[in-house]
């Protein structure tokens, strides 16, 4: 592993505030692109089978998203209140879930049931199809609170996949204009979740800017690079890369709170996708763990438990 210390001065690489687009919501074909990326990354990868399985899951998510009805949305009063208090409008932790999310789960499970899955995954699909409402709601509540420790690693991806579809659908129905910037820059302004990774954009007005990618709703929001995403310290970060990698993915660790987030440099590889490339660089997480660093946000498709 190689490390370097990097201290950025305010304004060094950032355009003046106000000129920066604060938010990109997930595109309508997000899951199709993710599936493609996962399939590509799976080739010759030590986690190839799992990445292939997740590509089928992402295909099922796309199919579910394409046919998903829009859940009831917060009205103008609620929108104004959230704006006034700087709260995420679709708060994953506090907004009651509409039962529609379970329809999304049923769609995903049905489609996965038709795929050629490994035996264990097929058994999980069957058992989730028979699970009662209470059990599913309880699991969803924990995932949305990012309390993943007690969730079965086999069931987590399916339920998380359904919740992602539900939140992406709501966010896109509201549109970017409904969301305001939060004082706390490290959480998603749409749903309040932590980021799965950050990306450094390449090309256009956002060249070189850091956006954080939501682990739940896949929104991307701008956050200045001088701040730690977890504790907002501006004292500096250490960058870690895997030996022999092309440097397209680096872990940025805060010297103050010891948390880290991966940064994907799209300039080095424009095809990267936050969730997929985060999973494909699990080796970097293992090294960071050995260094005593902890992740600044979850990946809902893999939790070491
Ligand atoms: Zn979000
Ligand atoms: Zn920090």
């Amino acid at each position: 592993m190689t490390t370097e210390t990097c201290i950025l001065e305010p304004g060094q690489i950032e355009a003046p505030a106000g000129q920066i687009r604060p938010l990109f919501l997930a595109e309508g074909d997000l899951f199709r692109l993710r599936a493609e990326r996962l399939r590509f990354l799976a080739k010759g990868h030590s986690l190839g089978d799992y990445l292939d399985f997740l590509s089928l899951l992402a295909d099922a998510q796309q199919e579910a998203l394409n046919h998903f009805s829009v859940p009831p949305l917060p009205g103008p009063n609620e929108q104004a209140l959230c704006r006034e208090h700087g709260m995420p409008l679709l708060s994953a932790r506090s907004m009651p879930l509409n039962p529609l999310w379970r329809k999304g789960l049923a769609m995903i499970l049905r489609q996965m049931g038709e795929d050629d899955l490994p035996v264990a995954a097929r058994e999980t699909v069957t058992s989730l199809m028979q699970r009662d409402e209470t059990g599913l709601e309880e699991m969803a509540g924990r995932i949305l609170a990012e309390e993943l420790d007690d969730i079965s690693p086999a069931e987590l991806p399916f339920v998380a996949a359904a919740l992602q579809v539900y939140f992406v659908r709501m966010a896109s129905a509201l549109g970017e204009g409904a969301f305001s910037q939060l004082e706390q820059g490290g959480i998603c302004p749409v749903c309040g979740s932590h980021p799965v990774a950050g990306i450094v954009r390449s090309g256009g007005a956002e060249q070189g800017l850091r956006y954080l990618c939501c682990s739940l709703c896949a929104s991307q929001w701008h956050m200045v690079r001088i701040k730690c995403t977890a504790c907002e310290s501006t004292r500096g970060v250490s960058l870690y890369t895997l030996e022999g990698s092309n440097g397209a993915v680096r872990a940025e660790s805060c010297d103050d709170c010891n948390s880290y987030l991966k940064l994907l440099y799209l300039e080095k590889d424009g095809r990267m996708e936050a969730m997929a490339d985060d999973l494909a660089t699990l080796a970097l997480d293992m090294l960071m763990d050995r260094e005593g660093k902890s992740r600044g946000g979850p990946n809902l498709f893999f939790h070491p438990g």
Side-chain angles (χ1 to χ4, degrees):
M1 171 155 63
T2 54
T3 73
E4 56 188 292
T5 299
C6 162
I7 296 167
L8 298 170
E9 298 298 329
Q12 192 179 338
I13 50 158
E14 299 287 330
Q19 292 176 17
I20 295 173
R21 182 169 163 183
L23 180 67
F24 291 84
L25 295 182
E27 303 277 349
D29 58 354
L30 156 82
F31 297 113
R32 182 183 65 77
L33 295 174
R34 183 179 288 174
E36 264 173 36
R37 182 65 181 162
L38 286 161
R39 263 189 279 279
F40 172 81
L41 291 167
K43 290 186 203 113
H45 196 286
S46 57
L47 293 173
D49 288 349
Y50 191 58
L51 299 176
D52 270 332
F53 159 72
L54 289 180
S55 74
L56 294 175
L57 187 56
D59 281 336
Q61 283 180 290
Q62 186 65 56
E63 193 59 24
L65 182 67
N66 295 346
H67 297 99
F68 204 80
S69 325
V70 181
L73 301 170
N77 290 345
E78 219 171 316
Q79 293 187 24
L81 200 70
C82 282
R83 204 166 292 130
E84 194 183 325
H85 295 283
M87 295 186 304
L89 182 58
L90 300 175
S91 171
R93 280 163 198 264
S94 58
M95 199 172 87
L97 268 180
N98 185 286
L100 266 180
W101 84 268
R102 278 185 270 117
K103 282 203 172 160
L105 176 63
M107 284 194 255
I108 289 171
L109 293 173
R110 218 169 21 242
Q111 187 172 333
M112 291 298 278
E114 291 169 12
D115 285 325
D116 187 18
L117 296 182
V119 177
R122 184 167 296 280
E123 284 172 5
T124 307
V125 167
T126 310
S127 97
L128 278 172
M129 279 176 163
Q130 293 160 353
R131 188 68 52 86
D132 63 9
E133 279 173 28
T134 321
L136 291 174
E137 291 293 332
E138 201 222 4
M139 209 187 314
R142 285 194 198 176
I143 293 172
L144 295 176
E146 298 178 13
E147 292 162 6
L148 307 180
D149 285 350
D150 295 330
I151 297 183
S152 137
E155 293 179 337
L156 174 63
F158 294 99
V159 180
L163 293 170
Q164 287 184 340
V165 169
Y166 174 84
F167 276 88
V168 166
R169 190 70 192 92
M170 276 197 297
S172 69
L174 284 161
E176 264 152 50
F179 304 100
S180 48
Q181 274 176 288
L182 308 185
E183 213 163 286
Q184 198 184 339
I187 59 168
C188 173
V190 173
C191 74
S193 301
H194 285 94
V196 63
I199 57 162
V200 178
R201 284 190 168 252
S202 159
E206 291 85 27
Q207 164 69 32
L209 296 180
R210 175 174 74 171
Y211 284 77
L212 304 184
C213 308
C214 180
S215 52
L216 180 65
C217 76
S219 301
Q220 299 180 3
W221 69 100
H222 174 252
M223 186 177 186
V224 289
R225 281 175 72 183
I226 54 160
K227 280 191 185 173
C228 163
T229 64
C231 75
E232 309 227 345
S233 158
T234 53
R235 290 210 314 177
V237 293
S238 300
L239 301 173
Y240 296 77
T241 40
L242 284 173
E243 207 85 70
S245 82
N246 66 353
V249 180
R250 300 201 283 193
E252 216 176 77
S253 154
C254 170
D255 296 339
D256 265 352
C257 71
N258 261 336
S259 75
Y260 73 93
L261 198 69
K262 286 181 200 160
L263 261 187
L264 280 46
Y265 289 78
L266 295 190
E267 198 166 58
K268 300 205 180 222
D269 185 351
R271 298 161 304 173
M272 291 192 289
E273 195 275 329
M275 202 224 67
D277 283 84
D278 177 46
L279 284 166
T281 52
L282 209 63
L284 188 51
D285 294 283
M286 287 153 77
L287 285 174
M288 296 305 283
D289 187 50
R290 256 177 263 154
E291 294 279 312
K293 315 280 187 187
S294 53
R295 277 180 70 106
N299 188 316
L300 300 182
F301 293 111
F302 184 87
H303 184 69

